[in-house]
Amino acid sequence: MLDIQQEMLEHVMCCHAERVGLATIRPTRSDARELPHAEGTFDAVYAVTALGEIPDPDRVLREAARVLAPGGGW
């Protein structure tokens, strides 16, 4: 999980992930326009109500495509 707001990361981790036992979520505070991950890192990218709130959504989509593994999905 990635968000620029620390408060949102904490909310999701304490109020949702821990409650339902999702141990594989790693909260990462970062700007979606400059993802701190290597190319081809993820099998899927999922954005919830994010693109309308982020300046330069095209850049965000390019970054998402960069970290998506070949054959990965949106």
Side-chain angles (χ1 to χ4, degrees):
M1 175 191 171
L2 181 130
D3 202 293
I4 199 164
Q5 298 177 30
Q6 184 63 35
E7 298 82 16
M8 184 58 73
L9 295 171
E10 292 169 4
H11 174 73
V12 169
M13 293 309 294
C14 78
C15 299
H16 298 291
E18 291 176 7
R19 186 177 69 218
V20 297
L22 294 175
T24 58
I25 294 178
R26 293 189 190 130
T28 302
R29 184 171 181 206
S30 181
D31 188 320
R33 296 172 292 180
E34 296 181 30
L35 297 173
H37 304 291
E39 292 181 17
T41 301
F42 297 99
D43 294 326
V45 173
Y46 184 70
V48 179
T49 65
L51 291 178
E53 299 180 21
I54 299 172
D56 199 1
D58 290 335
R59 184 172 172 189
V60 172
L61 292 173
R62 285 192 304 273
E63 273 293 278
R66 181 185 68 77
V67 300
L68 193 61
W74 295 85

